[in-house]
Amino acid sequence: MGLPETAFWKTAVAAKNPLEISQLWQPKFAVAPDHRVITAGSCFAQHFSRALLARDYKWMDSEPAPKLLSEEQARDFNYGSFSFRSGNIYTARMLRQWLSYAFEEEEQPAEYWQKDGRIYDPLRPAIEPDGFASVAEMQASRTATLAAIRQAVTEADVFVFTMGLTECWRHRQSGLEYAMCPGTVAGDFDPACHEFVNQGYAGIWRDMRAALKVLRRANAKLQVLLTVSPVPLTATASGQHVLTATSHSKSVLRAVAGELAADYKHVDYFPSYEIITHPAYRGMFYAPNQRSVVQQGVNHVMESFFACQYETFPWVKRKASRGAKPQVVSKVAGASERAVKCDEEFLDAFG
């Protein structure tokens, strides 16, 4: 038949040490050191920015922390985690919302939450540890983030987006999707106004296609690399056991990502999810809680990413070996790498 050894389970998986399983990905496009890369999505996306910086790649930080903040303060205020200060974007609908607001295809929601006299943004209620002083301050902060999104999308070469969840909370009438359940960090939960939604394949596929359409209009040269977070759910509001709910959620996201990669020339899928979760790896990349991904797992994922890139595009490896100094492309020169601050998929999001 002439098929390569990677086409057969015995030679590609069973006969190999798990750490020697290779060629899991045949990248469509190069991600080179001189490409401007932006990252967003679930917490696992943060590992890409750190790995890129460690290898002297150009990761764009379009909304760097003010210089007066220390490194610790910048992390507390959620700067540097992603290419813009949106906080975690867990779902396809939230990505679509942010892009629609940034490129003025939809009007921003006027809704805000309150707690102890402070104001919270329902799109990112955890972005300010103690909320905002006023609605005007909240709106000004969001405006800055939307401007950062526009800059990032229009100037980038590659957008890495990690799909994280199918479960979410929405406003029944407007359809506005929240970053977490109202009434947890702030606001009040009203069952007459708010509803839990476990998004299905069709809805996620439509939202991702709509998001890709906005991205394409804003930047025709932008390549999109999708991944799926391998981090299991902390909790589920679906009524299912959290194990089966996790399997369902991640399977749907993986299916959507695969279909989009098959349908669009400028969209690809990188299997970080499979590398961490597949039984062939015997759970070695999880901490004892069987949920948190250990650093060795993150390292193996990123080594696999670059190995596949170098094999398909040898010129990328030659560029990467030149030893340029690390760069963070941002509005403010010298914005530094931030430590990963994964929020455990927002346990509070489920109310």
Side-chain angles (χ1 to χ4, degrees):
M1 295 173 60
L3 294 175
E5 73 167 32
T6 54
F8 301 94
W9 187 266
K10 182 177 180 179
T11 53
V13 180
K16 292 184 178 293
N17 179 298
L19 297 179
E20 296 175 344
I21 297 172
S22 61
Q23 297 178 296
L24 287 171
W25 180 45
Q26 293 77 46
K28 288 184 180 181
F29 48 80
V31 182
D34 56 350
H35 287 159
R36 292 178 171 227
V37 182
I38 58 176
T39 55
S42 186
C43 64
F44 205 77
Q46 299 173 52
H47 297 306
F48 270 84
S49 61
R50 300 183 78 198
L52 292 168
L53 287 168
R55 291 165 176 81
D56 306 335
Y57 281 59
K58 291 183 178 179
W59 175 67
M60 288 185 67
D61 184 357
S62 294
E63 195 173 4
K67 290 184 177 180
L68 58 87
L69 296 182
S70 68
E71 288 286 327
E72 184 178 358
Q73 289 171 326
R75 290 194 297 271
D76 290 342
F77 283 82
N78 293 280
Y79 285 100
S81 297
F82 304 103
S83 291
F84 29 81
R85 195 167 169 246
S86 61
N88 292 55
I89 301 176
Y90 290 118
T91 68
R93 173 64 65 88
M94 286 212 73
L95 175 63
R96 178 180 182 178
Q97 286 180 171
W98 276 111
L99 292 174
S100 296
Y101 302 148
F103 291 96
E104 300 181 345
E105 298 195 356
E106 289 185 37
E107 185 177 350
Q108 294 182 47
E111 182 179 348
Y112 59 89
W113 294 347
Q114 298 185 70
K115 181 181 179 181
D116 299 331
R118 304 289 289 183
I119 304 299
Y120 294 79
D121 187 344
L123 297 180
R124 45 181 194 158
I127 209 72
E128 292 271 331
D130 299 312
F132 296 95
S134 66
V135 175
E137 185 181 88
M138 181 202 81
Q139 292 173 335
S141 176
R142 188 194 290 170
T143 296
T145 295
L146 294 176
I149 292 174
R150 287 193 296 274
Q151 184 206 25
V153 169
T154 55
E155 295 182 5
D157 299 297
V158 180
F159 179 22
V160 179
F161 181 69
T162 299
M163 305 170 74
L165 299 174
T166 59
E167 298 187 16
C168 66
W169 296 90
R170 291 181 187 167
H171 192 282
R172 290 182 183 273
Q173 185 174 1
S174 69
L176 174 67
E177 186 167 307
Y178 305 115
M180 60 176 58
C181 180
T184 50
V185 166
D188 297 297
F189 180 77
D190 181 353
C193 296
H194 306 130
E195 64 177 345
F196 168 77
V197 178
N198 195 2
Q199 303 168 59
Y201 177 95
I204 296 170
W205 183 78
R206 284 195 300 268
D207 285 331
M208 284 301 300
R209 282 173 57 92
L212 291 170
K213 189 175 182 180
V214 176
L215 292 171
R216 201 63 170 171
R217 280 199 295 263
N219 183 351
K221 67 178 177 64
L222 184 66
Q223 310 273 22
V224 178
L225 181 62
L226 300 176
T227 65
V228 172
S229 171
V231 181
L233 305 178
T234 299
T236 177
S238 67
Q240 302 177 36
H241 189 287
V242 68
L243 188 150
T244 56
T246 293
S247 180
H248 172 82
S249 178
K250 303 299 183 177
S251 297
V252 171
L253 296 174
R254 174 61 181 91
V256 172
E259 285 298 303
L260 293 171
D263 291 344
Y264 292 91
K265 292 181 179 179
H266 69 288
V267 178
D268 202 357
Y269 170 77
F270 172 65
S272 56
Y273 171 74
E274 285 86 342
I275 294 172
I276 298 297
T277 67
H278 199 279
Y281 294 94
R282 305 165 193 175
M284 69 173 69
F285 297 138
Y286 283 114
N289 65 6
Q290 300 183 62
R291 182 177 183 277
S292 302
V293 178
V294 298
Q295 189 59 48
Q296 292 91 331
V298 174
N299 293 343
H300 188 68
V301 165
M302 297 314 306
E303 289 297 336
S304 298
F305 173 85
F306 288 106
C308 291
Q309 277 280 315
Y310 297 160
E311 183 171 356
T312 305
F313 306 106
W315 61 269
V316 171
K317 185 175 184 178
R318 290 194 293 271
K319 278 193 173 186
S321 65
R322 291 176 184 171
K325 292 183 179 180
Q327 300 180 64
V328 180
V329 182
S330 65
K331 294 179 184 176
V332 180
S336 59
E337 179 187 7
R338 312 287 190 250
V340 170
K341 184 184 179 183
C342 179
D343 57 11
E344 294 291 305
E345 301 291 336
F346 277 132
L347 176 60
D348 286 341
F350 301 95

